[in-house]
Amino acid sequence: MSSTDKKKVHDKPAKEVNEQEKEVLEEIMEELEEEAKENKEAAEKAEAEAEASEEEASAEENEETSEEESGDKKKGLFNKKEKKDPLKEKIDELNDRLIRQVAEFDNFRKRTDKEKAQMFEQGQGSILEKLLPVIDNFERGLQAVPEDEKDGAFADGMNKIYKQLMKQMEDLGVTPIEAVGKEFDPNFHNAVMQVESEEYESGIVAQELQKGYMFHDTVLRHSMVGVTQ
């Protein structure tokens, strides 16, 4: 065997060894790169968590500081309230009492005015009620005038006085109660008899024996009536 062939035999295993080492080195490099990448990601994650924890701690610290400042303000206000001027307190108390007394006096005045108005109305109604018999006599007198004398001066004068009296009563709030042809109402009518009537149905006022009157919304005198059977 020549020396050249011997050299070729020795060189071939060396090349194979180098290629295997290269492959192993590449695998090792890849593993190292992956490990370095994972370590970098873990470091970045840890750094982010640390920053978040730091921000949270800073926020809690600011909140505690804010609460302390708020508490100090409240304490300051409370102390200010405690240190209220006694002179101002006395003025406020007197002012409150004055307002209450003015309100009480106003209520008393209104109540007194209302009572006076009621008493005046009751007295007025009592006087007007006593005038009703006078009106009744006027009406009876006018009805008793003979037919041939109704156009005379005396009857005419009596009729004018009667109309003037009724006008004054109306101005004072006195009005007659309607009775004949109306359904019997015990609030306004006083039934003293039952009558037969072809014109009205049962329970209807067919006859008025004495005229009734209202004083505003109050019955001054009930109508004395006869009701159909």
Side-chain angles (χ1 to χ4, degrees), residues 35-99:
E35 186 176 356
K37 186 177 180 181
E38 291 177 356
N39 291 335
K40 183 179 180 182
E41 291 177 354
E44 290 177 353
K45 184 177 181 181
E47 185 178 358
E49 291 177 353
E51 290 178 356
S53 299
E54 185 177 354
E55 290 178 357
E56 184 177 356
S58 177
E60 290 178 355
E61 184 178 356
N62 292 334
E63 185 176 356
E64 290 178 357
T65 304
S66 175
E67 289 178 355
E68 289 178 358
E69 291 177 353
S70 176
D72 293 338
K73 289 181 179 179
K74 290 181 179 178
K75 289 180 181 179
L77 291 174
F78 183 73
N79 292 332
K80 287 182 180 178
K81 289 182 179 179
E82 285 184 347
K83 296 179 180 179
K84 191 175 181 180
D85 188 0
L87 179 60
K88 189 175 184 302
E89 287 183 353
K90 188 64 176 178
I91 293 173
D92 292 340
E93 182 182 352
L94 293 174
N95 189 34
D96 183 64
R97 288 174 59 184
L98 178 61
I99 292 172

Side-chain angles (χ1 to χ4, degrees), residues 15 41 85 122 151 157 172 184 187:
K15 289 182 180 179
E41 291 177 354
D85 188 0
Q122 289 175 358
D151 293 333
L172 292 171
F184 174 75
N187 294 318

Side-chain angles (χ1 to χ4, degrees), residues 124-142:
Q124 189 179 17
S126 178
I127 294 172
L128 293 172
E129 186 178 2
K130 292 178 180 180
L131 291 175
L132 297 181
V134 178
I135 296 174
D136 296 337
N137 291 329
F138 255 112
E139 292 175 348
R140 293 190 187 100
L142 291 173

